[in-house]
Amino acid sequence: GINAEYGGQSSNMSHAIILMLMVGLVSSQQLPHPCNNGTAGNTAPGTNFSAACLSAVGGVSQHDLLVMVDASGKIPSGLLDYSLNSWGSFDECKEVQSSGAVYAMFGLNSSIAKLIGLTLQPGIVPRLGMCLPEPCVADVARFASDHLLLAKIPDQPNPQLIEFGSTMSTGAIFTVVLIALLVVLSFAGSVVTMGGIPGVFELNVSMPSLAAFSLTSNLSALCDTAVRFSATSSLEGFRVLSMQWVVIGHTLMMFEMSGDNLGYLLNKVIPRWTMEPIENGTYSVDSFFVMSGFLLSFVVLRKLESRRQKNLDNGIPVSFLSHLGHMGKLVLHRWLRLVPSLGLVMLVDAQLLGAINDGPGWAANIRPLGGACREYWWTNLLFINNLVPRQIMKECVAQSWYLSLIHISEPTRLLSISYAVFCLKKKKKKK
């Protein structure tokens, strides 16, 4: 029936069967027989597929259809270890886009995991990537929905078509130009600070504004290992160990979020007593709170003491309001130091990051960052991004929560830790 209805080509029957095999990746046991004479809505006679879908399949070569099947996700091994996602090969599907292929990501009903004895946490959606002709996407989605295989995902279409390639918006081009300008300024500043290019030419000019961008000077300052205050030298090692703790903890977090053997990780690795420091890596951040508060208090008290002594030497009265004004300048100085770098990162997230790659992982995890930054960039500039928005996944540059928390809690920590530092200084003077 299919062969006579759609063109009379001898390969059409095999084309339809291959398409059914693709749908069978979701649930092969529920598919009708290719020669069934029933009808379903707008589907072609004897099939569960629309005329547009079968016509599209009939126009695709046997080789390209096999590529689509090969590029589509299959039922993965390791299901009992929570390997529930099968994205297929996005790049392979891209090779046959000239034949009308599209890549569609289907979110499956998590209740199907109960069929093999697995219970998933709310919000976890098994995903299956399929490469197929565009008119067939709606047919597969209808079939999956009819058999309760399709999940309902808030604020997201299901299935989701993932575009091949990416385009550079005006904002992305502006970001590239700005970064290129900063690179040029850094090299020009290096030439100024080095007095020219050794062996090529000499330059004897004083340009402090340009020298501030010098790559050599800034890199040298960044890699400087000199200890500024001997009283706080022990904190350097403390900071290194805490940073390593943070990196290891986040590495484990990435495995927990995207690993394909989560069951082995949860049941075999995490219970080991040696994993306790890593699994409880959130406490590593507390060490940075202590260090930042202590160093802030240490530096501020030194500067206030130096300023007080200078004013007394010059006969200028010292008051609480003058100290408060000086602390306000320090906060402003800190804000001016942080915001340019943070602003550039937000600009890259908002305009450029989503355009430099493609694929299902990029579409699901990276491109949404741009929308968050375009909507909530102002909260980062005010360091209130822990309050607005309420969900951390909607924050612009979510890892900047630490900066926000520091600035919001700064007055409390400054007062409490400053008192501790003051007491230590008094105790040292008595000795």
Side-chain angles (χ1 to χ4, degrees), residues 245-320:
W245 194 6
V246 169
V247 171
I248 294 174
H250 278 77
T251 303
L252 177 64
M253 187 188 302
M254 293 299 104
F255 276 111
E256 291 177 343
M257 292 172 61
S258 58
D260 58 1
N261 58 344
L262 185 59
Y264 175 79
L265 184 67
L266 294 177
N267 299 324
K268 302 292 184 181
V269 178
I270 298 299
R272 299 173 186 170
W273 67 268
T274 53
M275 292 294 294
E276 288 297 320
I278 303 175
E279 181 66 13
N280 294 284
T282 51
Y283 291 107
S284 62
V285 181
D286 293 348
S287 64
F288 280 100
F289 287 148
V290 173
M291 282 189 289
S292 62
F294 180 84
L295 291 174
L296 175 69
S297 303
F298 183 82
V299 172
V300 168
L301 287 176
R302 283 174 60 95
K303 289 185 176 181
L304 290 177
E305 178 66 20
S306 174
R307 184 173 180 274
R308 186 185 73 86
Q309 191 60 47
K310 183 178 179 180
N311 288 345
L312 290 177
D313 293 341
N314 295 328
I316 301 175
V318 179
S319 65
F320 172 77

Side-chain angles (χ1 to χ4, degrees), residues 155-330:
D155 304 323
Q156 183 179 321
N158 188 22
Q160 181 181 11
L161 293 180
I162 309 299
E163 296 181 1
F164 296 124
S166 56
T167 56
M168 294 284 287
S169 64
T170 303
I173 296 173
F174 170 79
T175 306
V176 171
V177 172
L178 178 60
I179 294 174
L181 177 62
L182 292 174
V183 171
V184 171
L185 287 174
S186 67
F187 279 103
S190 300
V191 172
V192 170
T193 55
M194 292 188 303
I197 300 178
V200 180
F201 67 90
E202 293 184 359
L203 187 65
N204 244 344
V205 295
S206 177
M207 302 178 66
S209 298
L210 187 58
F213 291 92
S214 172
L215 179 64
T216 55
S217 297
N218 287 304
L219 189 61
S220 176
L222 184 65
C223 299
D224 185 15
T225 59
V227 179
R228 293 180 59 190
F229 306 108
S230 59
T232 61
S233 59
S234 60
L235 294 181
E236 302 297 336
F238 191 17
R239 182 169 59 179
V240 170
L241 294 175
S242 295
M243 182 60 70
Q244 292 175 342
W245 194 6
V246 169
V247 171
I248 294 174
H250 278 77
T251 303
L252 177 64
M253 187 188 302
M254 293 299 104
F255 276 111
E256 291 177 343
M257 292 172 61
S258 58
D260 58 1
N261 58 344
L262 185 59
Y264 175 79
L265 184 67
L266 294 177
N267 299 324
K268 302 292 184 181
V269 178
I270 298 299
R272 299 173 186 170
W273 67 268
T274 53
M275 292 294 294
E276 288 297 320
I278 303 175
E279 181 66 13
N280 294 284
T282 51
Y283 291 107
S284 62
V285 181
D286 293 348
S287 64
F288 280 100
F289 287 148
V290 173
M291 282 189 289
S292 62
F294 180 84
L295 291 174
L296 175 69
S297 303
F298 183 82
V299 172
V300 168
L301 287 176
R302 283 174 60 95
K303 289 185 176 181
L304 290 177
E305 178 66 20
S306 174
R307 184 173 180 274
R308 186 185 73 86
Q309 191 60 47
K310 183 178 179 180
N311 288 345
L312 290 177
D313 293 341
N314 295 328
I316 301 175
V318 179
S319 65
F320 172 77
L321 291 178
S322 65
H323 278 329
L324 195 61
H326 187 63
M327 290 180 63
K329 292 179 182 178
L330 293 177

